[in-house]
Amino acid sequence: VVRRRLLQRYEHQPFISCLAGFYSCRWRRYQRERTEPGKCCCNMVNELKVSTDLDFSFCFSLVFLYTWGEGKNDYNGFDWYNYGSLGFWFLWSLVILIVAAVLFAYISFLLVLAMCLLAEGQQLYLHWSHKIGTFLVLLFSISSLFALSILWRDHRKTVRLSFQVTAPYLHIGAIAIMVLLAWPVALHAIRADKKVTQVIIVGPYLAILLFLFLIPLGMYSPCIREMGTLGPKPALIGHRGAPMLAPENTEMSFLKTIEHGGDGLETDVAISYDGVPFLMHDDTLRRTTNIQEVYPNDTDKAASFFSWDDLQKLNAGTWFLKNKPFVGMGSLSKADQNQAMNQSICTLSSFLRLANSHNKLVIFDLYRPPEKHPYRNLWIRQILDVILKESKIKRHLVLWLHNGVRSFVQSVAPGFQHTMGRKAPIEDLLKHNIVKLNLVYTDMSSEDIRKYAEANITTNFYVVNEPWLYSLAWCSGAHSVTTNAVHLLKDLSQPLFLMTPQQYNIMWILTDLTSAFLISLIFAL
């Protein structure tokens, strides 16, 4: 018996040595000091502080990883903002996501090591290098969350929206973590010397557990609904075409949207120096053309100050192959690469004729020419001439968004579907013959959508790229969305996370009962 026990202890030593080595960099067998569960595992105030920092680092790094991960819908906008500030294109959003994931995995690994050492009755001595690492993770997470709250305030709305579809599953994950924590909590509580110590250990744990058990009572998700109450799938409007498959605002991009079954096309319209409306989102031509090669001295010149002849000399596709502006774009076929390399700037007239020939809706942002531009005060007439005379597009296909001269447009071009870019009282919208709202997705509200729908005013949300966000728009009753990912969203046959209230109640009750049984069993043992 003695021999067997000695053998078991000997075989167990390498495991503890490995744990202590990774956590404390103490690899020798007899460097460790043992403590009984329930007693102080850190004999120094400094070690208690380190353990607290480790816990806070885990929490903040988890919050930032979730926050940034759910913001994937806006990664392109974030990278575009950095391009405007730094002058060169790089996928900063992907780098931040990878860093956040690595740091969270690092802190999680340290926490697992700490829990295993505690279970083995070992005292915790975090190595100084890990102390620095923990502090850096905490600093990075807090500073990143602070920067997001200041520089990207709408991101908080994105996270709140994500809770409407992920909350039921986050609830299950939180309960699972509490079940895993039950074992070390029970071990230390049962072996504690004093009742006060037991209360200090078990009390907060049970309070958090009770809160998690009851939190579904206040949970809301439009995707938890009765069978047969889900509305039709929102129509898909290609944002500058299909910019994940082809260079934005080019003929190829719009053809890709049409090829993948998009219901409409969105673009941006500027006017050249000689009065030709053309498609361009940015103020300058640096990001989406090869102007550095053709006109190297005019890279900062406003796009509207170039004549149409000058604009035709630029290539509008090579940048797309070089920069790959979207995370997870995938590779293009050889034929698509060759086609993208030969794209040029598109005119409004060509865009409208293409949409009309395929019976697609069009919506566009209009950019007034800058001061000293010869068409600064004639730009609306130029655009209307192209719409009504050159392209002769069916008027009901035009979603007129510009609000400045709406009364004039309604008088000279009846038949457009007039669209407002902000929420307003229903009486005001009906007074101005508004039939559609074009809203940023962070303004999504199932209650507002229903209220406007009752007045025969439909809603379109932009820019919706992620399946979870499209699912939320679908469940909320949105009529259409503007998206960069027509080719991905078209394949959704039903919203993600869709379930009936009965299914959710069963999931909730089973989760709570199962976890309560497992936790009770752990404490009993």
Side-chain angles (χ1 to χ4, degrees):
V1 172
V2 172
R3 186 178 176 188
R4 184 168 63 250
R5 289 179 179 175
L6 289 174
L7 184 60
Q8 289 174 346
R9 179 173 177 80
Y10 178 79
E11 290 175 344
H12 196 54
Q13 288 299 320
F15 173 69
I16 300 177
S17 297
C18 186
L19 294 177
F22 282 120
Y23 189 83
S24 309
C25 289
R26 296 185 172 192
W27 295 94
R28 288 191 304 170
R29 182 181 304 173
Y30 298 106
Q31 272 193 317
R32 296 176 303 281
E33 294 183 34
R34 195 173 168 80
T35 184
E36 289 299 321
K39 296 183 179 180
C40 182
C41 61
C42 311
N43 60 0
M44 297 175 61
V45 175
N46 183 51
E47 288 300 321
L48 286 174
K49 177 180 176 299
V50 169
S51 298
T52 303
D53 290 345
L54 193 61
D55 294 336
F56 276 109
S57 297
F58 175 81
C59 294
F60 278 104
S61 62
L62 175 60
V63 170
F64 178 68
L65 179 61
Y66 176 83
T67 301
W68 189 252
E70 290 302 307
K72 186 181 177 183
N73 187 80
D74 300 320
Y75 281 1
N76 182 254
F78 176 81
D79 294 331
W80 180 85
Y81 172 82
N82 285 309
Y83 171 82
S85 302
L86 302 175
F88 64 93
W89 185 265
F90 189 72
L91 294 177
W92 296 106
S93 55
L94 181 59
V95 172
I96 293 175
L97 180 63
I98 293 173
V99 170
V102 169
L103 294 182
F104 174 72
Y106 168 67
I107 292 298
S108 300
F109 177 66
L110 290 181
L111 273 179
V112 170
L113 291 177
M115 290 180 62
C116 291
L117 287 170
L118 287 176
E120 293 295 333
Q122 302 298 314
Q123 291 195 0
L124 300 182
Y125 296 101
L126 189 65
H127 191 258
W128 63 267
S129 60
H130 289 321
K131 293 179 182 179
I132 294 175
T134 300
F135 174 75
L136 292 178
V137 172
L138 183 62
L139 180 64
F140 172 81
S141 302
I142 293 177
S143 58
S144 298
L145 288 170
F146 178 76
L148 277 179
S149 65
I150 298 299
L151 302 177
W152 199 359
R153 294 183 179 180
D154 283 346
H155 192 70
R156 288 178 292 182
K157 298 180 181 179
T158 304
V159 175
R160 284 199 294 269
L161 285 176
S162 74
F163 288 147
Q164 293 186 23
V165 292
T166 62
Y169 305 93
L170 292 176
H171 171 247
I172 294 176
I175 292 291
I177 291 176
M178 295 302 290
V179 171
L180 293 176
L181 291 175
W183 177 59
V185 170
L187 184 66
H188 285 76
I190 292 173
R191 298 186 180 181
D193 294 335
K194 300 178 180 179
K195 290 289 184 181
V196 176
T197 306
Q198 291 179 336
V199 172
I200 292 175
I201 294 174
V202 177
Y205 175 83
L206 293 180
I208 295 173
L209 187 63
L210 180 62
F211 172 75
L212 290 175
F213 280 165
L214 299 179
I215 198 172
L217 292 174
M219 197 176 292
Y220 165 76
S221 172
C223 289
I224 300 176
R225 57 194 310 125
E226 296 290 351
M227 293 287 291
T229 61
L230 182 66
K233 185 176 180 178
L236 298 172
I237 298 176
H239 182 237
R240 307 176 203 166
M244 296 180 72
L245 302 176
E248 67 180 54
N249 282 333
T250 61
E251 182 181 12
M252 178 184 177
S253 186
F254 300 123
L255 286 172
K256 286 292 184 183
T257 302
I258 295 169
E259 175 186 331
H260 287 280
D263 303 284
L265 305 171
E266 186 274 347
T267 191
D268 312 276
V269 181
I271 296 184
S272 69
Y273 198 73
D274 49 352
V276 178
F278 66 98
L279 310 186
M280 182 61 57
H281 175 267
D282 298 4
D283 292 333
T284 68
L285 302 166
R286 282 188 305 159
R287 183 174 66 91
T288 57
T289 71
N290 63 336
I291 190 172
Q292 293 92 340
E293 301 171 8
V294 181
Y295 306 115
N297 297 324
D298 295 324
T299 55
D300 294 324
K301 185 177 177 180
S304 294
F305 279 113
F306 288 85
S307 68
W308 177 242
D309 287 339
D310 291 338
L311 293 172
Q312 284 183 298
K313 298 176 183 177
L314 298 173
N315 183 291
T318 53
W319 70 275
F320 178 78
L321 300 175
K322 177 183 177 182
N323 294 334
K324 295 186 176 180
F326 288 88
V327 175
M329 277 179 49
S331 58
L332 300 181
S333 66
K334 193 66 177 178
D336 284 346
Q337 291 182 30
N338 292 333
Q339 187 179 1
M341 289 179 63
N342 293 298
Q343 293 300 298
S344 58
I345 295 176
C346 188
T347 63
L348 175 61
S349 179
S350 299
F351 166 75
L352 295 175
R353 284 196 294 268
L354 178 65
N356 188 51
S357 64
H358 291 87
N359 204 39
K360 300 298 181 183
L361 295 169
V362 295
I363 183 171
F364 36 76
D365 289 314
L366 303 179
Y367 298 145
R368 187 180 183 183
E371 294 183 3
K372 298 182 180 180
H373 192 284
Y375 288 89
R376 178 170 173 78
N377 298 318
L378 301 172
W379 62 301
I380 292 293
R381 289 187 178 274
Q382 288 292 111
I383 290 171
L384 287 175
D385 284 345
V386 170
I387 296 174
L388 301 176
K389 298 177 181 178
E390 286 188 32
S391 69
K392 297 181 180 179
I393 186 174
K394 302 177 191 72
R395 295 189 183 184
H396 72 275
L397 295 177
V398 178
L399 305 179
W400 184 267
L401 184 59
H402 187 71
N403 197 46
V405 289
R406 192 178 298 279
S407 298
F408 170 73
V409 174
Q410 288 175 337
S411 64
V412 300
F416 290 173
Q417 295 191 53
H418 282 270
T419 305
M420 180 72 75
R422 56 180 173 80
K423 291 182 180 180
I426 292 177
E427 296 77 13
D428 293 345
L429 297 175
L430 296 177
K431 179 181 177 181
H432 293 92
N433 299 313
I434 302 298
V435 298
K436 182 181 283 291
L437 291 177
N438 185 52
L439 305 174
V440 62
Y441 76 85
T442 51
D443 288 339
M444 191 185 305
S445 164
S446 56
E447 182 179 350
D448 288 342
I449 293 172
R450 178 186 53 78
K451 179 181 66 175
Y452 287 122
E454 290 174 353
N456 293 321
I457 299 173
T458 59
T459 47
N460 178 73
F461 291 98
Y462 67 93
V463 174
V464 175
N465 302 321
E466 289 299 300
W468 73 263
L469 189 55
Y470 182 66
S471 298
L472 182 61
W474 190 346
C475 293
S476 299
H479 180 264
S480 60
V481 300
T482 301
T483 178
N484 295 321
V486 171
H487 61 298
L488 299 177
L489 301 184
K490 71 180 180 67
D491 293 328
L492 282 181
S493 58
Q494 70 171 31
L496 303 178
F497 314 110
L498 180 65
M499 67 180 77
T500 64
Q502 293 77 16
Q503 290 172 332
Y504 176 63
N505 288 335
I506 291 173
M507 183 177 73
W508 168 29
I509 293 171
L510 285 179
T511 299
D512 285 0
L513 290 178
T514 304
S515 60
F517 171 75
L518 292 175
I519 291 171
S520 300
L521 184 63
I522 290 171
F523 273 84
L525 294 176

